[in-house]
Amino acid sequence: MTDQPTTLLILGASGDLTQRLLLPGLGTLFKEEPQRAVTVVGADRLELSDDDWRSRVRGAMAQAQLPDDLAAPVVDGTRYVQTDALDQGQLSSLLAATTEPLIIYFALPPSVTVKVCALLEKIGVPRGTRLALEKPFGSDLASARELNKQLLRVVPENDIYRIDHFLGVNTILNLLGIRFANRLLMPIWSNEHIDRVEITYDESLALEGRAGYYDKAGALLDMIQSHLLEILAFFSLEAPATMHAEEIRSLKAQVLRAVHPWGHDPASASRRARYTAGTLGDRQIPNYVDEDGVDPQRGTETLAQLTLQLDNARWAGVPFVLRSGKAIGTACKRITVTFKAPAHVPSGFKDSPRPDRLILDIKPGAVTLDLSMNAEGDPFELEQKELQAELGKPRMLPYGEILGAILDGDPFMTIRGDEAEELWRIVEPVLAEWEAGHVELEEYAAGSAGPEGWDRPPR
Ligand code: NDP
């Protein structure tokens, strides 16, 4: 871990991401690693006094439960610069007044980020400057490629940190530990033993006032194109020799290149739906299309499901079902691995065994193994027993982990350029089928489990 003094320049400092996720994440990093020496500089179009900005930073540090004596130097050292990042003069002055080494965090709307990167190419950045870019990375494959080229004209690949905050979630990285740090699972992690993999991220949250962003993205882009495909990559990559960032990122890119819609048919491999009015707990949820800021003509889905195949020797024939939805009655954030039936079950048992399953809960973290056995009562009857371990609480918020890694210059928890392009390559054909109207936009009541006739998420 580095304690080298570093400037974290946040562009878009008065936005939602900065306030709700970035600054509190940073607070949890300082709490865990107080020797970090980071000067936070906030920049945004909003007119904000240094005092107002400091009070926002102080609030975020308090939210992270950072003790006052650790929060004080962060708050005292931070400053705010009102800046239009699209104004070349203002951007140059901002950079000129910033101490190196420098991390520029783009907490800006994606379209603004692209333009600011173009300006940085003209202005130049100090050698060693790290660029942290939020998702979405580009708006399709072509624009992601273009942005990659653009960025490489500003800094080398190793100084580009494409963020997916799921990579800072401890239960996602646990996929490497649980697969490769024990003898039991690695030999059975293939199509020889695994029948089906479901990666589900159903939330009971509805739109929650985020139409400005969500109505243009939808469930496929918001969740599957980024977070769930990253989970799939960690789940299915080949065995690494080391935990070196380049090795893991290469293996992720390698396996993503094998991913295609099931049957190479993006229309039949995908489903989409949108919630209508309903009840979630004690809350009445309005019809999605009646929510403030929603344009019904966009036909945005709030639930998406995509079945994928991996065209390689390890995974050929195994469906990977990725699903994510909003306003679902029961939240379900987990990976479910269903194993094939045993080659032979001795005759004489009174029942057939149910399939063995390994369930990896993402939030809160837990690992459950469902195994058939003749456990109780009649010794010739089979039943399924559950072995469960809860995973410890994360030591910091995902954004804390990610910012810590960027400060260390370690790209492990971020996405390499070729990976970012693969993520678009996989979903683009699906989007094309949806735009052509080849996949019906179904409906489900908020608070339900999804449309009638869809598979229920496991358990
Ligand atoms: P917001 O719109 O809330 O914030 C963006 C900020 O950038 C605003 O304060 C905006 O100011 C400012 N801004 C826009 N143009 C300029 C400019 N030319 N110069 C300086 N500042 C400017 O967006 P979010 O914070 O929600 O999102 C930021 C990024 O993070 C996006 O890429 C998003 O996809 C990503 N992200 C967001 C998450 C979230 O939960 N919010 C989660 C994961 C990723 P103004 O209000 O004046 O336009």
Side-chain angles (χ1 to χ4, degrees):
M1 186 200 60
T2 179
D3 56 1
Q4 184 188 26
T6 304
T7 303
L8 174 63
L9 169 61
I10 304 177
L11 302 178
S14 81
D16 180 69
L17 176 84
T18 305
Q19 205 56 43
R20 221 166 38 80
L21 299 172
L22 262 189
L23 291 176
L26 198 59
T28 61
L29 172 68
F30 292 144
K31 190 174 172 201
E32 195 63 28
E33 297 173 356
Q35 57 281 49
R36 296 277 187 188
V38 183
T39 302
V40 181
V41 178
D44 202 299
R45 293 197 291 206
L46 185 74
E47 191 180 343
L48 204 62
S49 70
D50 257 350
D51 277 352
D52 288 341
W53 168 248
R54 287 207 173 99
S55 108
R56 290 185 181 200
V57 174
R58 190 179 297 110
M61 297 304 122
Q63 196 184 324
Q65 295 175 341
L66 186 67
D68 287 348
D69 60 322
L70 296 181
V74 181
V75 175
D76 293 345
T78 191
R79 62 193 172 88
Y80 179 82
V81 188
Q82 186 183 4
T83 311
D84 179 351
L86 292 178
D87 180 304
Q88 189 170 335
Q90 291 186 31
L91 187 62
S92 296
S93 312
L94 177 68
L95 293 183
T98 311
T99 317
E100 300 166 34
L102 173 64
I103 296 169
I104 304 178
Y105 202 108
F106 293 83
L108 293 165
S111 57
V112 180
T113 292
V114 173
K115 291 181 192 148
V116 175
C117 289
L119 279 183
L120 288 182
E121 191 189 343
K122 287 194 200 162
I123 299 170
V125 295
R127 201 179 160 78
T129 296
R130 283 157 263 174
L131 306 182
L133 291 110
E134 267 298 337
K135 74 162 195 136
F137 186 82
S139 51
D140 54 20
L141 178 56
S143 60
R145 279 191 182 138
E146 214 32 63
L147 184 54
N148 272 334
K149 283 190 205 152
Q150 172 87 61
L151 289 167
L152 288 172
R153 293 195 291 265
V154 183
V155 296
E157 174 65 37
N158 269 352
D159 288 328
I160 304 169
Y161 296 81
R162 297 171 194 80
I163 310 293
D164 180 333
H165 69 272
F166 268 45
L167 272 55
V169 174
N170 61 342
T171 48
I172 307 297
L173 289 191
N174 180 45
L175 280 169
L176 299 181
I178 200 165
R179 283 185 62 191
F180 299 119
N182 66 72
R183 183 73 186 228
L184 212 59
L185 293 180
M186 194 159 66
I188 59 168
W189 216 252
S190 72
N191 50 10
E192 201 183 329
H193 301 283
I194 290 179
D195 188 51
R196 175 184 176 88
V197 179
E198 279 138 301
I199 303 175
T200 309
Y201 203 91
D202 280 354
E203 302 179 272
S204 49
L205 289 177
L207 190 57
E208 319 295 334
R210 294 196 63 214
Y213 159 72
Y214 192 84
D215 197 46
K216 293 191 192 96
L220 181 70
L221 293 189
D222 182 44
M223 290 301 302
I224 295 181
Q225 189 269 349
S226 45
H227 308 313
L228 300 197
L229 278 172
E230 277 294 312
I231 296 177
L232 178 147
F234 274 107
F235 181 97
S236 57
L237 53 73
E238 291 299 314
T242 71
M243 289 286 274
H244 190 274
E246 269 333 294
E247 181 163 354
I248 300 292
R249 299 201 314 169
S250 296
L251 290 169
K252 278 199 289 161
Q254 179 199 40
V255 77
L256 286 171
R257 283 194 289 275
V259 177
H260 301 275
W262 186 254
H264 289 260
D265 181 350
S268 66
S270 62
R271 304 190 84 164
R272 56 177 176 152
R274 185 166 67 182
Y275 69 77
T276 55
T279 310
L280 260 168
D282 52 7
R283 288 193 305 151
Q284 291 299 318
I285 305 294
N287 192 340
Y288 176 80
V289 293
D290 296 333
E291 297 259 26
D292 269 355
V294 166
D295 176 359
Q297 298 307 319
R298 280 204 187 97
T300 301
E301 80 290 353
T302 57
L303 171 66
Q305 182 173 300
L306 177 57
T307 306
L308 296 164
Q309 65 186 49
L310 277 58
D311 289 348
N312 64 19
R314 180 180 292 277
W315 294 115
V318 178
F320 283 72
V321 183
L322 276 50
R323 163 184 161 133
S324 181
K326 281 196 181 293
I328 301 291
T330 308
C332 175
K333 300 170 182 177
R334 64 173 47 146
I335 306 163
T336 307
V337 187
T338 304
F339 291 93
K340 291 187 168 164
H344 174 71
V345 179
S347 56
F349 279 119
K350 290 181 179 166
D351 345 65
S352 310
R354 302 214 326 253
D356 301 330
R357 291 199 308 188
L358 178 68
I359 296 156
L360 305 162
D361 277 294
I362 299 168
K363 280 185 197 170
V367 178
T368 309
L369 189 57
D370 289 346
L371 284 182
S372 289
M373 51 186 86
N374 46 344
E376 286 171 33
D378 181 339
F380 294 97
E381 269 176 14
L382 291 173
E383 62 180 308
Q384 202 161 49
K385 284 286 180 191
E386 195 178 279
L387 315 178
Q388 192 179 57
E390 279 175 23
L391 300 184
K393 282 204 173 120
R395 57 184 193 145
M396 55 179 95
L397 290 172
Y399 272 97
E401 292 286 359
I402 285 168
L403 286 166
I406 300 174
L407 284 162
D408 290 340
D410 181 359
F412 187 97
M413 291 191 194
T414 56
I415 294 172
R416 206 169 60 188
D418 53 342
E419 234 187 291
E421 292 177 16
E422 283 306 316
L423 300 175
W424 280 115
R425 197 265 311 147
I426 294 163
V427 299
E428 253 192 5
V430 179
L431 284 171
E433 293 291 345
W434 289 11
E435 274 158 26
H438 296 162
V439 178
E440 184 195 348
L441 179 62
E442 299 175 57
E443 291 191 333
Y444 62 101
S448 71
E452 287 300 317
W454 284 38
D455 289 343
R456 294 283 171 262
R459 263 210 282 215

